Amino acid sequence: MSETGISAPYWWNAAEPPTLPHEAVAPSCDVVIVGAGYTGSAAARILAQAGRSVQVFDRQRPGEGASTRNGGVVSGNIRISFSKAMEKLGTERAVALYREGQRAREDLWRFIDDEKIDCDFTLSGRFTGAMFPANYEAQGREADLLNKHLEIGAYTVPKQQQHEEIGSDLYNGGLVRPDIGHLHPARLHAGILARAREAGATIHGETPVLSFTRTAGGFEVKTSRGAVLCRNLIMATNGYTDGANPWLRRRLVPVTSRIIATEEISPNLMQHYFPKNRTVAETRKLYRYYRPSPDRKRIVFGGRETMFSTDPMVNAEHIRKGLIEVFPDLKDVRVERSWSGFVAFNRDDTPRLFESDGVIYACGYCGSGVVWARWLGERAAYKVLGSPEAETVFEGPPPAAVPLYWGKPWFIPIAIGWYGLQDMTASRHQRIS
């Protein structure tokens, strides 16, 4: 059953995931794709345009997972910072990872323009607020490295000038990345899905894949509405991987992110809070991310749920308190929508494209799937086609399994508590010093 009322994502007002009529499941095809979000729909479009017969299966409505629940930030982020990547992986590898982020972002901009997808994309730039002065100093060093190796035009804004970027006194200055934007995530998904169907891909919503096995000519995929024989199989389930693929589920940790959307806020206040229409992030471990809605009438504000409760109302209030910490004037603002979704992490903290036992996987976007999911979905399709366009620095061996983990992330509350303790310790140290 689809979500309704306050628990339905705000984005669904304009583009709710479609309930598609059940088409007959063809007993054979060239390619089966599991998952009809950004990744699966993008892969299906490329393959269908190349003349392959494609069936896509999703246990929910197409896009009902993270593709229509995320914050709509177009970042192509790598979870590890550029400076840390240089230390850990070497300069050449770090530059290659971040260069591909540039390519993937720019390719998404072109795709939206070429395909005329109405998804409210704007190259707004992102302001990352420094929680402490030491964070601001580190941001300056990071900007220097980014500009030296990637020429992206990053710059820092001191605290005395940050009201030019964000109408909040919480931060100690911050970093601006002008190459990051935001969009309407559900409209983007609707556009990708539509192009896949127009190309000839068959999309089976609300049709779970139950299992799959190797055959002499490829794979047999068993679904809730029949079995399919195919030559190639792409897994595009990411944070919504279930028991049909326990091997993958041990390698991806789904982490819940919750987002709220406020009631309408006066134009004057919205202009004060977001004078340059930026999307905003923070340097803290349990960082919040937020932005104006596409019509600039609401604030869309997200972060990690509390470790103490799984009650949606408790967690909505937890996120609302974060909003008030940033904008104290909004202490009486009403929350119109509150919803959650899963982002998927792996032990490498980087997006991944890999093959195992003949199955092609694209996953592990670590909270930046608006760019990476479509990009790596297309690389997966090109890999099936044997095209040189499949090349990506993110291809490699499968990520390692997480020890003592079989699909239920029992350790997430512990991790949230540990990150929260680090944030509190840093805050206490800052007050003392």
Side-chain angles (χ1 to χ4, degrees):
M1 180 181 295
S2 63
E3 292 160 282
T4 58
I6 190 172
S7 66
Y10 165 73
W11 313 118
W12 291 8
N13 288 354
E16 184 171 354
T19 299
L20 301 177
H22 277 175
E23 299 184 47
V25 174
S28 65
C29 62
D30 292 326
V31 187
V32 163
I33 300 173
V34 185
Y38 293 147
T39 305
S41 298
R45 183 185 74 93
I46 296 295
L47 290 164
Q49 287 179 339
R52 301 296 174 93
S53 57
V54 182
Q55 295 189 88
V56 185
F57 296 91
D58 199 301
R59 75 170 186 258
Q60 303 181 100
R61 294 176 297 171
E64 192 169 345
S67 295
T68 62
R69 294 173 180 273
N70 66 81
V73 179
V74 184
S75 70
N77 253 16
I78 305 298
R79 181 168 166 78
I80 183 173
S81 71
F82 186 60
S83 56
K84 291 289 178 57
M86 290 177 66
E87 293 173 12
K88 182 178 178 181
L89 306 172
T91 299
E92 183 177 354
R93 176 67 174 171
V95 170
L97 292 174
Y98 271 73
R99 281 284 186 208
E100 187 153 333
Q102 289 180 300
R103 289 173 54 212
R105 278 193 300 276
E106 292 167 4
D107 188 72
L108 178 58
W109 306 345
R110 284 193 295 269
F111 171 78
I112 291 169
D113 187 56
D114 291 347
E115 297 294 331
K116 297 178 173 54
I117 295 177
D118 180 12
C119 60
D120 302 296
F121 171 70
T122 177
L123 189 57
S124 59
R126 183 183 68 192
F127 175 80
T128 300
M131 296 303 299
F132 312 112
N135 298 147
Y136 179 72
E137 294 167 8
Q139 286 178 322
R141 295 189 292 271
E142 188 80 5
D144 289 344
L145 287 172
L146 287 168
N147 293 334
K148 176 182 177 181
H149 294 281
L150 301 165
E151 308 92 30
I152 65 172
Y155 59 92
T156 53
V157 177
K159 183 175 179 65
Q160 56 268 32
Q161 295 175 19
Q162 74 182 23
H163 276 200
E164 297 174 11
E165 304 292 335
I166 180 72
S168 174
D169 296 319
L170 178 63
Y171 307 116
N172 292 274
L175 174 70
V176 172
R177 286 276 303 269
D179 57 334
I180 291 173
H182 53 67
L183 50 67
H184 192 297
R187 281 180 165 164
L188 173 64
H189 176 265
I192 300 173
L193 182 70
R195 300 307 180 271
R197 298 181 73 193
E198 290 162 6
T202 301
I203 314 294
H204 300 287
E206 299 172 293
T207 307
V209 165
L210 307 177
S211 65
F212 61 93
T213 54
R214 288 296 298 265
T215 65
F219 299 89
E220 181 183 34
V221 180
K222 293 183 178 179
T223 81
S224 62
R225 295 197 297 114
V228 184
L229 295 175
C230 62
R231 289 204 300 268
N232 299 103
L233 177 60
I234 295 175
M235 284 286 168
T237 49
N238 202 42
Y240 291 78
T241 301
D242 61 19
N245 194 334
W247 179 86
L248 179 61
R249 194 161 62 166
R250 289 204 62 206
R251 288 158 172 78
L252 291 178
V253 178
V255 177
T256 305
S257 188
R258 179 162 291 276
I259 302 178
I260 61 174
T262 67
E263 63 182 330
E264 289 192 13
I265 295 171
S266 75
N268 287 343
L269 267 182
M270 288 299 293
Q271 180 60 31
H272 171 65
Y273 293 151
F274 301 97
K276 296 182 179 177
N277 202 30
R278 304 283 198 211
T279 182
V280 185
E282 301 175 327
T283 59
R284 54 190 282 160
K285 295 287 186 181
L286 294 178
Y287 65 89
R288 287 77 61 97
Y289 52 95
Y290 53 98
R291 51 166 289 191
S293 60
D295 60 9
R296 289 184 57 82
K297 293 182 178 180
R298 295 170 175 80
I299 298 175
V300 179
F301 191 101
R304 295 287 174 260
E305 294 192 328
T306 175
M307 65 178 289
F308 302 108
S309 177
T310 58
D311 186 325
M313 298 302 291
V314 171
N315 280 297
E317 178 61 17
H318 171 69
I319 302 299
R320 193 184 76 88
K321 287 179 179 178
L323 171 70
I324 296 168
E325 183 184 8
V326 176
F327 301 120
D329 291 345
L330 295 180
K331 62 182 183 301
D332 297 322
V333 74
R334 185 170 61 87
V335 171
E336 282 193 349
R337 297 292 178 90
S338 169
W339 68 97
S340 64
F342 294 119
V343 296
F345 293 83
N346 56 51
R347 293 181 67 183
D348 298 330
D349 279 342
T350 55
R352 298 297 295 274
L353 177 70
F354 57 93
E355 185 172 342
S356 178
D357 198 23
V359 182
I360 296 172
Y361 296 86
C363 58
Y365 308 129
C366 300
S368 296
V370 173
V371 169
W372 291 123
R374 173 191 161 272
W375 176 257
L376 288 183
E378 291 195 351
R379 298 319 106 190
Y382 289 130
K383 188 173 177 66
V384 168
L385 297 173
S387 167
E389 291 187 74
E391 183 178 352
T392 171
V393 297
F394 296 102
E395 183 170 9
V402 178
L404 303 177
Y405 172 59
W406 290 273
K408 183 177 176 59
W410 53 268
F411 43 81
I412 293 297
I414 300 172
I416 291 175
W418 170 239
Y419 287 146
L421 180 61
Q422 291 181 71
D423 286 334
M424 286 190 292
T425 301
S427 178
R428 188 179 301 114
H429 179 267
Q430 178 61 34
R431 289 196 300 270
I432 293 172
S433 60

